[in-house]
Amino acid sequence: ILSLGQNNTEVVGFSLGYRMDRDRSLLFNSEFAHTKAGQGDQGSLFAATSSLQSRSWSVTYLQQNIWKANDHFAASIKQPLRLSSGSAAIVTASVDEQGYAVYDKSWSSLVPDGREIDMTLTYRVPTNKTDVLSVQAAYLKDALNMAGYNVTRLGLLWNKSF
């Protein structure tokens, strides 16, 4: 009932890593996707989609051996995959003056009203040969691409190998 039909998507991704020195690196990543316009399947609530464009990107700074051997610090900012253009036709039903069912297409934009940007700081340190302690703080502006929905996270994780 929610099928979008037979759509084909092409994705191009670019990644670049730059080693600043033995313990510090910068990482860059971006993806661009294009989905061709298509018709929905028979009986689907969606009649058609226009051409869709989406993209994502991230920048991450990594450093190790800051205060202790094999500890790691990461700072990142990223925009998760987000639709930047496109719409879908939704099938609407009504009844005319003679009582017959009438079906129409109603086009709606699929572009979200927000633009999620995630900012994350992570520190990871081995506490002994089998244990690792990680601390992470994150702020998500317009989380889930919903304007004004901001999220703050703080986490502590202890991993033990045996």
Side-chain angles (χ1 to χ4, degrees):
I1 192 163
L2 296 178
S3 175
L4 292 175
Q6 301 297 318
N7 297 78
N8 294 316
T9 300
E10 297 169 346
V11 179
V12 175
F14 301 97
S15 295
L16 175 67
Y18 175 68
R19 180 171 233 155
M20 301 164 73
D21 61 31
R22 189 176 68 87
D23 293 329
R24 298 180 304 148
S25 300
L26 274 175
L27 305 172
F28 304 92
N29 189 47
S30 66
E31 291 86 27
F32 302 92
H34 175 262
T35 302
K36 296 177 183 172
Q39 296 297 314
D41 286 340
Q42 184 69 24
S44 173
L45 180 62
F46 297 104
T49 58
S50 70
S51 175
L52 307 175
Q53 303 286 330
S54 54
R55 61 182 65 112
S56 67
W57 56 265
S58 67
V59 178
T60 303
Y61 170 78
L62 300 168
Q63 187 169 349
Q64 63 184 10
N65 302 317
I66 302 169
W67 293 297
K68 188 174 180 178
N70 296 320
D71 67 348
H72 293 86
F73 170 76
S76 69
I77 183 167
K78 70 178 181 177
Q79 175 191 289
L81 192 62
R82 177 185 183 273
L83 195 68
S84 56
S85 69
S87 57
I90 300 171
V91 176
T92 56
S94 61
V95 178
D96 68 10
E97 300 82 32
Q98 288 84 31
Y100 293 107
V102 177
Y103 299 96
D104 282 321
K105 291 182 197 176
S106 174
W107 285 90
S108 296
S109 174
L110 297 174
V111 178
D113 61 348
R115 179 180 302 275
E116 181 175 341
I117 302 292
D118 302 348
M119 293 158 271
T120 306
L121 298 174
T122 304
Y123 180 69
R124 183 176 180 269
V125 61
T127 54
N128 60 41
K129 288 184 178 183
T130 61
D131 298 358
V132 176
L133 182 65
S134 299
V135 178
Q136 184 177 77
Y139 177 73
L140 287 65
K141 179 190 169 294
D142 292 348
L144 303 174
N145 291 313
M146 295 172 25
Y149 180 55
N150 302 318
V151 174
T152 304
R153 296 180 181 158
L154 182 61
L156 179 66
L157 180 64
W158 174 47
N159 290 331
K160 179 162 186 70
S161 300
F162 50 92

